[in-house]
């Protein structure tokens, strides 16, 4: 290794060039295509708030960090459709010429929807009940948080992620940017389908050495990304939060 005092003028120029990143003038112009993230049919996920006349939800986003904390931007879009009206199915989805974050480009995989029972995070419980659960699980062996509470990984609907503190009427409550209705969890993109604490959520069909990140999506470098839909009108832009 060489100390910085050993760098030549050419070395310094090269490091400066790398640190500057891409020259914006070299990037292609025009609209940036959205990429598909998830697709759900009402027959598979009947608990989602499908608007009347729709039975297919397609979630699209722009693969830049803009998707991670937004109050209803166009970076994340919900397409509620009627499956029978999809006349032409593309063999391959349009690909952007460049992306802002490789970890926001999902690896294509097939979804096998499975309905599970989960319970709220402790902070969403009545304080007295949360206290009793804490006493029951005081040694940590029973694992309410990891084994019984909010399911990890990718999830449609269900309870809010453990980090989402949404005091009713509080300033941090997640609300629709268009009509101010309180958002409800629509899609959770977890950093892993299970980990050491939540291994009980591993599907029995999966091999013990199966990947815990089949989509290879990692929002915020290992955090959880949640999309909240407007209960008044799911067609309103979703609110996203990452932590």
């Amino acid at each position: 290794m060489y100390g910085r005092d050993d760098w030549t003028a050419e070395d310094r120029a090269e490091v400066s060039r790398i640190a500057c990143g891409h020259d914006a003038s070299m990037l292609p112009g025009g609209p940036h295509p959205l990429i598909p993230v998830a697709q759900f049919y009402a027959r598979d996920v009947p608990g989602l708030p499908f608007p009347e006349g729709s039975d297919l939800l397609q979630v699209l986003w722009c693969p830049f960090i803009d998707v991670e904390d937004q109050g209803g931007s166009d970076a994340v879009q919900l397409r509620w459709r009627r499956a029978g009206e999809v006349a032409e199915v593309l063999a391959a989805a349009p690909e952007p010429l460049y992306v802002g974050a490789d970890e926001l480009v999902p690896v294509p995989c097939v979804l096998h929807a499975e309905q599970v029972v989960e319970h709220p995070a402790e902070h969403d419980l009545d304080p007295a009940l949360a206290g009793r659960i804490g006493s029951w699980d005081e040694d940590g062996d029973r694992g309410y948080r990891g084994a019984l509470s909010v399911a990890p990984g990718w999830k449609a609907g269900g309870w809010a992620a453990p980090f989402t503190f949404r005091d009713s009427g509080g300033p941090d409550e997640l609300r629709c940017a268009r009509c101010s209705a309180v958002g409800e969890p629509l899609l959770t993109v977890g950093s892993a389908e299970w980990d050491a604490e939540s291994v009980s959520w591993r599907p029995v069909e999966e091999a013990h050495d199966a990947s815990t990140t089949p989509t290879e999506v990692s929002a915020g470098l290992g955090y959880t990304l949640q999309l909240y839909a407007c209960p008044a009108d799911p067609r309103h832009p979703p609110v996203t939060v990452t932590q």
Side-chain angles (χ1 to χ4, degrees), residues 121-176:
E122 287 192 46
H123 64 77
D124 278 333
L125 296 173
D126 176 82
L129 176 58
R132 293 200 301 272
I133 289 176
S135 299
W136 169 77
D137 194 25
E138 60 183 3
D139 58 5
D141 291 340
R142 292 188 172 97
Y144 176 80
R145 183 177 67 176
L148 300 173
S149 183
V150 182
W154 286 60
K155 177 183 67 175
W159 290 99
F163 63 79
T164 312
F165 296 93
R166 301 189 304 151
D167 293 333
S168 180
D172 296 328
E173 196 168 48
L174 300 175
R175 293 181 175 273
C176 173

Side-chain angles (χ1 to χ4, degrees), residues 148-224:
L148 300 173
S149 183
V150 182
W154 286 60
K155 177 183 67 175
W159 290 99
F163 63 79
T164 312
F165 296 93
R166 301 189 304 151
D167 293 333
S168 180
D172 296 328
E173 196 168 48
L174 300 175
R175 293 181 175 273
C176 173
R178 186 167 295 179
C179 70
S180 296
V182 178
E184 291 296 332
L186 176 75
L187 175 64
T188 300
V189 178
S191 58
E193 295 301 304
W194 66 87
D195 57 21
E197 182 184 29
S198 58
V199 68
S200 62
W201 289 102
R202 179 178 62 83
V204 296
E205 300 87 356
E206 296 285 357
H208 285 279
D209 59 350
S211 170
T212 62
T213 55
T215 64
E216 296 187 12
V217 170
S218 178
L221 300 178
Y223 292 118
T224 294

